[in-house]
């Protein structure tokens, strides 16, 4: 039992919502009522505690000239130098203070803020409100010495009536902000704990007859094409919609033909609400959201959420996010085929929803509520099941709904996140349903779904998701609840945890969503890595995460799990997601010369897209042109004829024609390889991308004709015979080997480390797993099995007539597992060929991290060109976005800068790759079958040891990985493990590489002429 305090609780520990505030109302960004933005430079002091803090600063005439100056909006821990105002702290679930609700620690950083201001000269006097859009976590407010009230609910607005307190000049606004309050127990939302006034503070005139509140009701009847409009307003007024010819009284319903609003076609009508004292411009979107026959529909059509969870975050300013950054987020989402946002786990800045209306995004608006830390104590004392807290919960629900109710983009209300179960949630749901029955209600934390209209889960794996799609999931104990839930649509409110390298398995999820009507997509966790920009003492920039600020309790880099990096650079995961969820699908029947195009939009036809074809040979464009695709309606498909393939390319015109008859020609098997690429691009400029922006694409390999029979070897290069030199080394063609059979030099190319079998990778976040998935923590199991410390034993080095054979066994200490590995080297002309055979020995139960060879080269080989998958990284379960082509890069640009360094940068399906120094000398590698290619200026061991990017320093070796296989990446940092199809099991394997030295002056991508015997 928690011991009650001996006296009344201070306001910051009271479970209630606060005192003195006006009833919540709709947010209005613009009206003809005057406004004064009170942001800017405020006087500030930081106190270590809340108890007994002196309130004299709020009295008229207080001299704060000796205080510091702080910008508002801001978080005070992100201001000043070297933690002058405290430091950020990150936890995922655990409260960073004792769980003793509603009490908080005595050590409670408290920031006093002062702002002096004058009213504009034309300010008319009379009623006015002071509005705070976001203060973390509890505030007490005075104006000109008069206390206005207190409030909690950090990411929700609050307004106070101040008209009678204002003066023409010399106004002083005093705000005391406490980091910890009873409200902190409701705000455990997997993010940085950052106190401060972090959203706008605004003074707003309320003239006589001004709008107290208004509610825009817009619906669309997809059967008739009519929209209905009613605007409820206090006081009464008029609504005009010039484009629709409407001029009606508030409270009156008008029905007219309209174009509906949707995320794909965000049609808005400009309107105006006018009362005696105020005019407010409106942007009206007609749409109807319903659950019909177990399916969530908007305007009569099933919608499929291709969504993301979005925390508000900026790497320099925390949750202070300006309008330009909000728009940048949404433009990036639209350009990557994201159509939905869950506002995890609180309502966003209100201007964000205006942008969602404008640009077109489905929004699940989530209340500022999470009590996840109570799970750590068995949910004892959980506020959502404690009647003392119900007024605060209802207050938070009302402030969200009233603020955001007029946005067509908001299609669901969410009660909050990870709060367990309780009566308070039911009370919230009941209030919301009565206030706004036109939107469904969402909440994931109670799987029996008593209060909601959709069944929501997070991180259900593929198999369970498919069961749910078939409405065949295991039943609930309560038959009535089970029937009710089984009839609901299903949404994965979080899935595909995008932490570090990943997420894998997106394609397989999307196939389920597109197969089962009940499965209506989901929201990837999450949009952005919440890494705070930091610098080392020497000025090197990096992104900091949990533990980097001396927190005694933290959850490390779990705060960095987004599809964009902290600076909003798209990660490979976002590029993969764009491809997987692309709204146009292509299949091909090349024998018939046709492509089948399917429109997977929810609403839009294909008239807004233009289609093109490209024909490539050996990665080079041999022809391109437009493709005539009809304006298919959503869900429709059509077969479209491809043109005749361009005339065969003259081999002499190819940079690398190859000789398929020459087994040592690294381009031979792929010299005539051809493929079609079909692309869908924007036909015209939109608000979020210019004409020509690529929306969807697919490649189709042209079946290769049988390889010609080898010609008579009259001019073929003769094989070389290996022999020992006077100093005991082994010479084979252009290769020089040491006595253990390791390649040390290839013509003029020195090797710091010769090719040998490699099975280890720097663990990714998904390999590390989590404490709540103890059976799937691959890194722990791999290290326990010794995969990070494999030993190489040479059993035999044999010189044959035409090959050098090195027999080895690769195995970890303290284990009887082994990989019997044989390297066979052959030479002809100026090239060396390596055949590798691997046979596992012992009871292998774990997958391998990788299987291939690793070698070390000179770091001067910095320029890279390859023919294979690209342009970005790919892994077995994240390769949809990888397309076959010819690419150039630098070694530095091949690296993916994950906030916590880990395995990255592999290119898939590589046929050949070249690495060159500035003078053109270097090395060419070709593989059969195609291989995974990775080049790094640091070793796997260095990569695995680094915890931040600044710890990675270029060394004196360039490490080259040529992999036959890689373990998939999955999303097991929080989501499912790697799917079985992408496990790299230890099985007998064989693969080959050809190494050709490049001389200075050789043309890029051109093979040497083989030497003649």
């Amino acid at each position: 039992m928690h011991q009650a305090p001996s006296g009344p609780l201070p306001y910051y520990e009271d479970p209630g919502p606060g005192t003195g505030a006006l009833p919540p109302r709709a947010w209005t960004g613009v009206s003809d009522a005057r406004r004064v933005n009170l942001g800017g430079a405020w006087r500030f002091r930081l106190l270590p505690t809340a108890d007994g803090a002196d309130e004299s600063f709020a009295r008229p005439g207080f001299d704060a000239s000796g205080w510091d100056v702080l910008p508002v909006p801001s978080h005070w821990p992100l201001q000043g130098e070297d933690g002058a105002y405290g430091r950020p702290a990150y936890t995922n679930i655990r409260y960073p203070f004792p769980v003793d609700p509603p009490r908080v620690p005595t050590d409670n950083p408290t920031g006093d803020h002062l702002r002096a201001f004058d009213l504009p000269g034309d300010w008319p006097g009379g009623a006015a409100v002071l509005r705070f859009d976001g203060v973390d976590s509890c505030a007490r407010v005075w104006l000109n010495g008069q206390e206005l009230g207190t409030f909690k609910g950090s990411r929700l607005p609050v307004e106070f009536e101040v008209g009678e307190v204002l003066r023409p000049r010399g106004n002083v606004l005093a705000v005391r902000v406490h980091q910890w309050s009873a409200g902190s127990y409701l705000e455990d939302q997997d993010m940085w704990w950052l106190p401060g006034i972090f959203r706008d503070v605004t003074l707003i005139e309320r003239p006589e007859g001004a709008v107290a509140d208004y509610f825009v009701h817009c619906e669309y009847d997809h059967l008739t094409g009519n929209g209905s409009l009613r605007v409820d307003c206090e006081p009464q007024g008029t609504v005009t919609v010039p484009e629709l010819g409407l001029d009606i009284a508030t409270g009156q319903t008008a029905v007219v033909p309209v174009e509906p609003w949707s995320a794909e076609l965000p049609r808005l009508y400009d309107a105006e609400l006018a009362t005696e004292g105020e005019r407010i411009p409106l942007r009206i979107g007609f749409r109807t959201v319903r659950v019909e026959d177990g399916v969530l529909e908007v305007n009569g059509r099933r919608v499929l959420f291709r969504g993301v969870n979005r925390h508000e975050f900026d790497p320099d300013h925390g949750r202070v996010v300006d309008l330009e950054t909000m728009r940048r987020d949404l433009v990036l989402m639209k350009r990557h085929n994201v159509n939905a946002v869950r506002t995890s786990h609180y309502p966003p800045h209100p201007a964000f929803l205006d942008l969602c209306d404008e640009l077109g995004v489905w929004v699940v608006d989530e209340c500022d509520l999470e009590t996840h830390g109570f799970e750590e104590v068995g949910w004892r004392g959980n506020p959502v099941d404690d009647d003392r807290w119900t007024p605060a919960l209802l207050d938070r629900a009302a402030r969200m709904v009233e603020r955001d109710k007029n946005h067509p983009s908001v299609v669901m209300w969410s009660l909050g996140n990870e709060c367990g179960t309780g009566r308070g949630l039911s009370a919230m749901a009941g209030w919301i349903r009565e206030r706004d029955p036109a939107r469904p209600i969402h909440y994931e934390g109670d799987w029996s779904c008593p209060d909601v209209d959709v069944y929501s889960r997070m991180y259900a794996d593929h198999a369970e998701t498919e069961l749910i799609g078939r409405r065949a999931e295991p039943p609930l104990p309560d038959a009535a609840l089970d029937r009710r839930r089984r009839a609901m649509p299903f949404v994965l409110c979080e899935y595909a945890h995008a932490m570090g390298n990943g997420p894998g398995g997106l394609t397989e999820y999307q196939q389920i969503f597109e197969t089962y009507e009940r499965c209506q997509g989901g929201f990837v966790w999450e949009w952005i890595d919440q890494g705070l920009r930091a610098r080392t003492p020497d000025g090197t920039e990096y992104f900091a995460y949990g533990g980097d600020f001396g927190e005694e309790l933290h959850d490390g880099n779990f705060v960095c799990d987004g599809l964009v990096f902290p600076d909003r650079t798209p990660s490979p995961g976002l590029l993969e997601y764009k491809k997987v969820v692309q709204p146009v699908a292509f299949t091909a029947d090349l024998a018939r010369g046709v492509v089948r195009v399917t429109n997977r939009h929810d609403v839009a036809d294909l008239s807004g897209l233009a289609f093109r074809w490209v024909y490539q040979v050996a990665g080079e464009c041999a022809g391109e042109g437009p493709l005539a695709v009809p304006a298919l309606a959503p869900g429709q498909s059509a077969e479209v004829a491809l043109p005749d393939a361009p005339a065969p390319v003259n081999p002499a015109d190819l940079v690398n024609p190859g000789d398929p008859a020459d087994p040592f020609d690294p381009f031979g098997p792929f010299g005539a390889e051809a493929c079609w690429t079909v692309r869908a691009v924007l036909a015209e400029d939109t608000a979020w991308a210019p004409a020509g922006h690529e929306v969807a694409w697919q490649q189709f390999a042209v079946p290769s004709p049988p390889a010609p029979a080898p010609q008579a070897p009259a001019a073929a290069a003769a094989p070389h015979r290996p022999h020992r030199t006077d100093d005991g080394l082994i010479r084979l063609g252009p290769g020089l080997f040491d006595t253990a059979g390791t390649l040390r030099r290839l013509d003029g190319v020195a090797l710091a480390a010769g090719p040998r079998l490699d099975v280890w990778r720097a663990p990714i976040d998904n390999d590390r797993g989590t404490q709540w998935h103890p059976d799937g923590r691959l890194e722990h199991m791999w290290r326990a099995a010794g995969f990070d410390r494999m030993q190489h034993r040479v059993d035999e080095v044999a010189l044959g007539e035409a090959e050098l054979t090195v027999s080895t066994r690769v195995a970890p200490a303290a284990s009887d597992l082994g990989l019997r590995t044989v390297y066979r080297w052959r030479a002809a002309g100026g090239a060396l060929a390596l055949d590798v055979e691997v046979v596992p020995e012992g009871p292998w139960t774990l997958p391998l991290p990788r299987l291939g060879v690793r070698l070390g080269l000179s770091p001067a080989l910095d320029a890279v060109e390859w023919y294979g998958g690209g342009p970005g990284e790919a892994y077995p379960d994240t390769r949809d976005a990888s397309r076959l082509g010819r690419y150039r890069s630098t070694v530095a640009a091949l690296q993916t800068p994950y906030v916590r360094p880990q395995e990255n940068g592999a290119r898939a399906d590589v046929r050949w790759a070249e690495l060159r120094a500035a003078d053109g000398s270097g090395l060419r590698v070709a593989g059969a079958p195609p291989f995974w290619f990775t080049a790094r200026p640091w070793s796997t061991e260095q990569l695995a040891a680094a915890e931040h990017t600044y710890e990675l320093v270029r060394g004196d070796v360039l490490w080259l990985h040529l992999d036959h296989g890689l373990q998939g990446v999955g999303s097991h940092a929080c989501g499912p493990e790697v799917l079985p199809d992408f496990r790299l099991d230890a099985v007998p394997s064989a693969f080959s590489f050809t190494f050709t030295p490049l001389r200075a002056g050789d043309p890029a991508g051109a093979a040497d002429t083989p030497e003649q015997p």
Side-chain angles (χ1 to χ4, degrees), residues 561-648:
D561 44 16
L563 290 171
V564 298
F565 296 124
D567 62 1
R568 287 177 161 77
T569 300
S571 76
L574 180 59
L575 301 177
E576 179 77 0
Y577 193 43
K578 174 185 179 179
K579 178 64 174 68
V580 168
V581 302
Q582 65 184 26
V584 183
F586 306 95
T587 57
D589 183 345
L590 297 185
R592 296 171 48 228
V594 297
V595 169
R596 185 172 184 83
V597 181
T598 300
N599 182 2
R600 287 186 173 159
H601 286 95
D602 299 325
V603 176
D605 64 25
L606 297 187
S607 60
L609 299 177
F611 293 80
R612 299 192 62 80
W613 60 269
V614 179
Y615 190 78
Q616 291 173 291
V617 178
E620 298 180 38
C621 179
E624 59 182 324
L627 193 66
V629 176
L632 300 170
Q636 288 187 339
S637 300
E639 285 191 346
V640 178
L642 289 169
D644 292 336

Side-chain angles (χ1 to χ4, degrees), residues 544-560:
Y545 48 77
D548 287 339
F549 298 98
E551 307 101 303
E552 67 175 13
L553 192 71
H554 66 84
D555 287 299
N557 70 312
F558 205 73
V559 76
C560 295

Side-chain angles (χ1 to χ4, degrees), residues 663-664 803-806 821-826 832-838 853 928 989-995:
F664 288 91
E803 66 180 21
L804 169 65
T805 302
V806 182
T821 307
V822 178
Y823 309 92
R824 292 186 175 87
W825 291 94
R826 294 167 293 132
L832 274 180
L834 170 63
D835 299 325
V836 183
E837 293 182 5
V838 181
V853 297
S989 303
F991 46 96
S992 301
F993 299 103
T994 300
F995 301 91

Side-chain angles (χ1 to χ4, degrees), residues 664 717-725 729-735 737 798-805 825-829 831-832 1013:
F664 288 91
H720 294 263
R721 180 173 182 174
H723 62 278
R724 295 191 183 273
T725 64
L729 301 178
I730 302 169
R731 170 71 70 179
L732 175 61
F737 298 77
L799 281 63
E801 287 295 319
E803 66 180 21
L804 169 65
T805 302
W825 291 94
R826 294 167 293 132
L832 274 180

